[in-house]
PDB file of all heavy atoms in Angstrom:
ATOM      1  N   ASP B  36       1.536  24.079  12.565  1.00  0.00           N
ATOM      2  CA  ASP B  36       1.450  24.236  14.071  1.00  0.00           C
ATOM      3  C   ASP B  36       1.665  25.697  14.335  1.00  0.00           C
ATOM      4  O   ASP B  36       2.184  26.502  13.529  1.00  0.00           O
ATOM      5  CB  ASP B  36       2.516  23.415  14.735  1.00  0.00           C
ATOM      6  CG  ASP B  36       2.147  23.162  16.181  1.00  0.00           C
ATOM      7  OD1 ASP B  36       2.271  24.100  16.988  1.00  0.00           O
ATOM      8  OD2 ASP B  36       1.792  22.007  16.490  1.00  0.00           O
ATOM      9  N   MET B  37       1.256  26.129  15.505  1.00  0.00           N
ATOM     10  CA  MET B  37       1.478  27.518  15.973  1.00  0.00           C
ATOM     11  C   MET B  37       2.976  27.712  16.318  1.00  0.00           C
ATOM     12  O   MET B  37       3.480  28.872  16.288  1.00  0.00           O
ATOM     13  CB  MET B  37       0.646  27.813  17.193  1.00  0.00           C
ATOM     14  CG  MET B  37      -0.852  27.925  16.941  1.00  0.00           C
ATOM     15  SD  MET B  37      -1.769  28.264  18.486  1.00  0.00           S
ATOM     16  CE  MET B  37      -1.076  29.892  18.908  1.00  0.00           C
ATOM     17  N   VAL B  54       4.536  24.893   8.103  1.00  0.00           N
ATOM     18  CA  VAL B  54       3.658  26.051   8.065  1.00  0.00           C
ATOM     19  C   VAL B  54       3.380  26.487   9.504  1.00  0.00           C
ATOM     20  O   VAL B  54       2.813  25.712  10.285  1.00  0.00           O
ATOM     21  CB  VAL B  54       2.360  25.833   7.302  1.00  0.00           C
ATOM     22  CG1 VAL B  54       1.425  27.030   7.350  1.00  0.00           C
ATOM     23  CG2 VAL B  54       2.633  25.389   5.889  1.00  0.00           C
ATOM     24  N   GLN B  55       3.695  27.743   9.835  1.00  0.00           N
ATOM     25  CA  GLN B  55       3.334  28.254  11.154  1.00  0.00           C
ATOM     26  C   GLN B  55       2.028  29.018  10.995  1.00  0.00           C
ATOM     27  O   GLN B  55       1.913  29.961  10.217  1.00  0.00           O
ATOM     28  CB  GLN B  55       4.405  29.220  11.700  1.00  0.00           C
ATOM     29  CG  GLN B  55       4.061  29.745  13.083  1.00  0.00           C
ATOM     30  CD  GLN B  55       5.143  30.727  13.576  1.00  0.00           C
ATOM     31  OE1 GLN B  55       5.861  31.298  12.804  1.00  0.00           O
ATOM     32  NE2 GLN B  55       5.173  30.899  14.881  1.00  0.00           N
ATOM     33  N   ALA B  56       1.044  28.506  11.712  1.00  0.00           N
ATOM     34  CA  ALA B  56      -0.339  29.115  11.578  1.00  0.00           C
ATOM     35  C   ALA B  56      -1.142  28.847  12.824  1.00  0.00           C
ATOM     36  O   ALA B  56      -1.060  27.733  13.359  1.00  0.00           O
ATOM     37  CB  ALA B  56      -1.039  28.634  10.326  1.00  0.00           C
ATOM     38  N   ASP B  57      -1.950  29.810  13.205  1.00  0.00           N
ATOM     39  CA  ASP B  57      -2.975  29.586  14.300  1.00  0.00           C
ATOM     40  C   ASP B  57      -4.219  29.189  13.600  1.00  0.00           C
ATOM     41  O   ASP B  57      -4.973  30.028  13.038  1.00  0.00           O
ATOM     42  CB  ASP B  57      -3.136  30.898  15.069  1.00  0.00           C
ATOM     43  CG  ASP B  57      -4.188  30.793  16.140  1.00  0.00           C
ATOM     44  OD1 ASP B  57      -4.793  29.655  16.275  1.00  0.00           O
ATOM     45  OD2 ASP B  57      -4.471  31.754  16.840  1.00  0.00           O
ATOM     46  N   LEU B  58      -4.506  27.899  13.591  1.00  0.00           N
ATOM     47  CA  LEU B  58      -5.679  27.387  12.812  1.00  0.00           C
ATOM     48  C   LEU B  58      -7.001  27.656  13.488  1.00  0.00           C
ATOM     49  O   LEU B  58      -8.045  27.270  12.940  1.00  0.00           O
ATOM     50  CB  LEU B  58      -5.478  25.877  12.543  1.00  0.00           C
ATOM     51  CG  LEU B  58      -4.239  25.566  11.708  1.00  0.00           C
ATOM     52  CD1 LEU B  58      -4.149  24.065  11.412  1.00  0.00           C
ATOM     53  CD2 LEU B  58      -4.197  26.334  10.409  1.00  0.00           C
ATOM     54  N   SER B  59      -6.997  28.290  14.669  1.00  0.00           N
ATOM     55  CA  SER B  59      -8.224  28.726  15.240  1.00  0.00           C
ATOM     56  C   SER B  59      -8.575  30.126  14.780  1.00  0.00           C
ATOM     57  O   SER B  59      -9.705  30.644  15.080  1.00  0.00           O
ATOM     58  CB  SER B  59      -8.116  28.669  16.748  1.00  0.00           C
ATOM     59  OG  SER B  59      -7.188  29.643  17.264  1.00  0.00           O
ATOM     60  N   ASP B  60      -7.677  30.733  14.010  1.00  0.00           N
ATOM     61  CA  ASP B  60      -7.906  32.076  13.497  1.00  0.00           C
ATOM     62  C   ASP B  60      -8.606  31.956  12.129  1.00  0.00           C
ATOM     63  O   ASP B  60      -8.055  31.407  11.172  1.00  0.00           O
ATOM     64  CB  ASP B  60      -6.588  32.804  13.295  1.00  0.00           C
ATOM     65  CG  ASP B  60      -6.683  34.212  12.734  1.00  0.00           C
ATOM     66  OD1 ASP B  60      -7.853  34.601  12.379  1.00  0.00           O
ATOM     67  OD2 ASP B  60      -5.677  34.890  12.662  1.00  0.00           O
ATOM     68  N   PRO B  61      -9.878  32.447  12.006  1.00  0.00           N
ATOM     69  CA  PRO B  61     -10.584  32.297  10.686  1.00  0.00           C
ATOM     70  C   PRO B  61      -9.898  32.939   9.560  1.00  0.00           C
ATOM     71  O   PRO B  61     -10.146  32.557   8.379  1.00  0.00           O
ATOM     72  CB  PRO B  61     -11.924  33.010  10.982  1.00  0.00           C
ATOM     73  CG  PRO B  61     -12.062  32.955  12.490  1.00  0.00           C
ATOM     74  CD  PRO B  61     -10.656  33.114  13.016  1.00  0.00           C
ATOM     75  N   THR B  62      -8.978  33.884   9.751  1.00  0.00           N
ATOM     76  CA  THR B  62      -8.280  34.528   8.656  1.00  0.00           C
ATOM     77  C   THR B  62      -7.021  33.779   8.216  1.00  0.00           C
ATOM     78  O   THR B  62      -6.574  33.935   7.101  1.00  0.00           O
ATOM     79  CB  THR B  62      -7.884  35.988   9.007  1.00  0.00           C
ATOM     80  OG1 THR B  62      -6.907  35.952  10.097  1.00  0.00           O
ATOM     81  CG2 THR B  62      -9.095  36.756   9.477  1.00  0.00           C
ATOM     82  N   ALA B  63      -6.464  32.949   9.154  1.00  0.00           N
ATOM     83  CA  ALA B  63      -5.234  32.243   8.782  1.00  0.00           C
ATOM     84  C   ALA B  63      -5.474  31.038   7.903  1.00  0.00           C
ATOM     85  O   ALA B  63      -4.660  30.753   7.026  1.00  0.00           O
ATOM     86  CB  ALA B  63      -4.573  31.763  10.080  1.00  0.00           C
ATOM     87  N   VAL B  64      -6.552  30.345   8.064  1.00  0.00           N
ATOM     88  CA  VAL B  64      -6.796  29.117   7.268  1.00  0.00           C
ATOM     89  C   VAL B  64      -7.000  29.398   5.808  1.00  0.00           C
ATOM     90  O   VAL B  64      -6.451  28.712   4.966  1.00  0.00           O
ATOM     91  CB  VAL B  64      -7.999  28.340   7.877  1.00  0.00           C
ATOM     92  CG1 VAL B  64      -8.316  27.122   7.021  1.00  0.00           C
ATOM     93  CG2 VAL B  64      -7.652  27.904   9.358  1.00  0.00           C
ATOM     94  N   SER B 106     -12.289  26.741  21.282  1.00  0.00           N
ATOM     95  CA  SER B 106     -11.705  27.416  20.098  1.00  0.00           C
ATOM     96  C   SER B 106     -10.384  26.720  19.641  1.00  0.00           C
ATOM     97  O   SER B 106     -10.128  26.640  18.441  1.00  0.00           O
ATOM     98  CB  SER B 106     -11.431  28.872  20.395  1.00  0.00           C
ATOM     99  OG  SER B 106     -10.381  29.043  21.338  1.00  0.00           O
ATOM    100  N   ILE B 107      -9.706  26.210  20.628  1.00  0.00           N
ATOM    101  CA  ILE B 107      -8.371  25.459  20.323  1.00  0.00           C
ATOM    102  C   ILE B 107      -8.660  24.058  19.822  1.00  0.00           C
ATOM    103  O   ILE B 107      -7.987  23.540  18.920  1.00  0.00           O
ATOM    104  CB  ILE B 107      -7.482  25.482  21.518  1.00  0.00           C
ATOM    105  CG1 ILE B 107      -7.054  26.895  21.823  1.00  0.00           C
ATOM    106  CG2 ILE B 107      -6.251  24.565  21.252  1.00  0.00           C
ATOM    107  CD1 ILE B 107      -6.184  27.023  23.078  1.00  0.00           C
ATOM    108  N   PRO B 111      -9.722  24.489  14.932  1.00  0.00           N
ATOM    109  CA  PRO B 111      -8.700  24.017  13.979  1.00  0.00           C
ATOM    110  C   PRO B 111      -9.082  22.656  13.277  1.00  0.00           C
ATOM    111  O   PRO B 111      -8.360  22.233  12.420  1.00  0.00           O
ATOM    112  CB  PRO B 111      -7.483  23.817  14.894  1.00  0.00           C
ATOM    113  CG  PRO B 111      -7.756  24.658  16.032  1.00  0.00           C
ATOM    114  CD  PRO B 111      -9.190  24.570  16.274  1.00  0.00           C
ATOM    115  N   LEU B 114     -12.299  24.530  10.627  1.00  0.00           N
ATOM    116  CA  LEU B 114     -11.897  25.579   9.589  1.00  0.00           C
ATOM    117  C   LEU B 114     -11.060  24.899   8.453  1.00  0.00           C
ATOM    118  O   LEU B 114     -11.297  25.132   7.279  1.00  0.00           O
ATOM    119  CB  LEU B 114     -11.130  26.708  10.221  1.00  0.00           C
ATOM    120  CG  LEU B 114     -11.954  27.600  11.142  1.00  0.00           C
ATOM    121  CD1 LEU B 114     -11.102  28.534  11.923  1.00  0.00           C
ATOM    122  CD2 LEU B 114     -12.999  28.366  10.369  1.00  0.00           C
TER     123      LEU B 114
END
Side-chain angles (χ1 to χ4, degrees):
D36 201 288
M37 292 179 62
V54 177
Q55 183 181 21
D57 178 0
L58 299 183
S59 66
D60 181 354
T62 64
V64 176
S106 68
I107 294 174
L114 293 171

